[in-house]
Amino acid sequence: MASIPEYYAGKNVLITGATGFMGKVLVEKLLRSCPKVKALYLLVRPKAGQSMQQRVSDMMACKLFNRVREDDPDFHQKVIPISSELTQPGLAIGPEDVDRLSACVNVIFHCAATIRFDEPLKHALQLNVIATQELLRLAKQMRHLEAFVHISTAYANCNRRHIDEVIYPPPVEPRKLIEWMDDAIVRDITPRLIGDRPNTYTYTKALAEYLVQQEQDRLNIAIIRPSIVGASWQEPFPGWIDNFNGPSGVFIAAGKGILRTMRANNDAVADLIPVDVVINLTLAAGWYTAERRPKTALVYNCTSGGINPFHWGEIEHHVMSSFKRNPLEQAFRRPNANITSNYLINQYWILVSHKFPALLYDLVLRLSGQKPQ
């Protein structure tokens, strides 16, 4: 078997979600560690007055790509944006682009998804399930496709006590659910549909896994299930992150002194996984899937809790001690967050440490003629 960089040499790779957190790291890692890759086609939509070219240019100008820039100042020539909209039929890819992609793409990495937990079910279905279905339809037209790698989540089956590296049958056939896409009906039956899953995110990611598995006779498929994806461990440098999603936002709020109390179980496992670990597995899975061409979809649980459990109580200690040693700029007050599982104690500290100081601060702002925050 060829090594991973040798495999990707001369290959054309299609990536969805490339402007997202994991997508950026995937693009950077491919360009840096597989320098002979032929081209990266990124499905991108215009957003907030920016063209797709501008969005990709802004992405590649960030600090994340500094090491790639040093090795190859012209690396951006390999990155080709393709206009696309995940909520539209055929992903709104133009006929010429469809022909172009069908003729050359060797590997697909499907990273795009909505990660909002409170997304209305219809919208979550559109982005996480129907868009996946449309991409699979396009993939089946690709004459030289060797691997289809789908990024799922370790929480797609969080209603189970033990999660093996297999696809579990969903409670509803995804294609039937898509046919029922009437707003009122979907909204009314959402609680019954998601059942014992906590939100529409985990539910629709489980449906998407099943859809992808249905194509295993026609495509070489791998499914990656990361847990809570956090800042980079080593690559391209330690600690890189570009968002305040999930724990990152909680850590920053605690470091700024805004968050003082949070209700959680100190003994629960904080299953965090660095983004570069997930991306390294993703690229390795693409290589292995293309080289071995497995008869069934390969599933990879990319988690830390089973082999190196880290608990929320430990997180509280390390985060607080870190911010006390290295204070953030413009902190609201001294960081001093506490985790408690007791509802009444948490409510007491919300009143004393959150609401009362906020009201007092707003009063001072009002008296000084400023707008309350």
Side-chain angles (χ1 to χ4, degrees), residues 298-353:
L298 297 175
V299 181
Y300 301 88
N301 290 343
C302 186
T303 62
S304 62
I307 52 172
N308 185 28
F310 196 52
H311 301 89
W312 286 110
E314 295 174 271
I315 294 249
E316 176 196 332
H317 167 73
H318 287 293
V319 168
M320 286 301 97
S321 58
S322 176
F323 282 132
K324 284 170 185 174
R325 287 194 312 271
N326 308 288
L328 294 176
E329 294 178 2
Q330 298 177 327
F332 178 68
R333 54 186 167 177
R334 183 174 176 271
N336 187 27
N338 289 293
I339 292 176
T340 177
S341 58
N342 187 292
Y343 172 78
L344 291 175
I345 291 174
N346 185 56
Q347 288 301 308
Y348 169 78
W349 285 115
I350 285 174
L351 187 67
V352 172
S353 294

Side-chain angles (χ1 to χ4, degrees), residues 48-311:
Q50 282 189 309
S51 66
M52 59 173 187
Q53 289 91 348
Q54 186 61 51
R55 288 187 70 195
V56 171
S57 296
D58 288 352
M59 176 186 86
M60 292 189 296
C62 79
K63 184 181 177 183
L64 177 69
F65 290 87
N66 283 357
R67 284 178 64 182
V68 181
R69 228 180 325 272
E70 289 169 9
D71 297 338
D72 179 11
D74 298 321
F75 75 93
H76 59 274
Q77 292 179 6
K78 293 180 181 178
V79 180
I80 304 164
I82 301 287
S83 181
S84 175
E85 174 53 73
L86 296 183
T87 59
Q88 298 300 315
L91 306 178
I93 302 173
E96 289 182 7
D97 286 331
V98 169
D99 291 343
R100 182 184 188 183
L101 297 173
S102 299
C104 74
V105 168
N106 306 110
V107 182
I108 294 175
F109 292 107
H110 181 32
C111 306
T114 175
I115 57 170
R116 282 182 53 186
F117 292 168
D118 60 349
E119 196 80 74
L121 181 57
K122 182 174 179 179
H123 197 237
L125 280 168
Q126 188 71 59
L127 290 166
N128 292 348
V129 182
I130 297 175
T132 302
Q133 187 179 47
E134 293 291 337
L135 186 62
L136 287 165
R137 193 171 289 142
L138 175 62
K140 286 184 284 187
Q141 297 177 42
M142 294 178 176
R143 299 186 284 279
H144 305 289
L145 188 67
E146 297 170 8
F148 184 103
V149 183
H150 174 71
I151 307 297
S152 184
T153 171
Y155 299 98
N157 301 286
C158 60
N159 54 331
R160 292 177 173 270
R161 183 100 183 128
H162 183 83
I163 302 165
D164 288 308
E165 291 180 321
V166 298
I167 309 294
Y168 295 98
V172 177
E173 164 64 48
R175 289 181 180 87
K176 287 183 181 175
L177 190 56
I178 290 164
E179 290 168 10
W180 302 341
M181 289 287 278
D182 177 85
D183 280 359
I185 294 174
V186 170
R187 189 169 57 248
D188 290 345
I189 64 172
T190 292
R192 206 179 315 159
L193 283 171
I194 67 173
D196 53 358
R197 284 185 174 84
N199 49 53
T200 58
Y201 169 67
T202 56
Y203 179 70
T204 53
K205 293 299 278 184
L207 295 180
E209 282 191 2
Y210 181 76
L211 267 185
V212 173
Q213 185 200 33
Q214 297 309 295
E215 303 300 338
Q216 65 186 5
D217 294 335
R218 290 169 285 276
L219 301 171
N220 302 318
I221 286 167
I223 295 173
I224 314 295
R225 288 179 180 157
S227 50
I228 304 169
V229 183
S232 59
W233 171 35
Q234 292 178 326
E235 297 183 85
F237 50 85
W240 185 81
I241 196 165
D242 73 341
N243 64 73
F244 293 142
N245 295 332
S248 311
V250 174
F251 299 162
I252 296 298
K256 290 274 190 183
I258 294 167
L259 181 72
R260 282 285 178 92
T261 183
M262 189 173 84
R263 190 175 174 216
N265 182 353
N266 278 294
D267 298 322
V269 173
D271 206 313
L272 302 170
I273 194 82
V275 64
D276 46 334
V277 173
V278 182
I279 295 308
N280 286 342
L281 170 61
T282 300
L283 286 174
W287 157 77
Y288 185 86
T289 304
E291 290 280 288
R292 289 296 174 93
R293 302 183 179 249
K295 291 183 171 61
T296 58
L298 297 175
V299 181
Y300 301 88
N301 290 343
C302 186
T303 62
S304 62
I307 52 172
N308 185 28
F310 196 52
H311 301 89

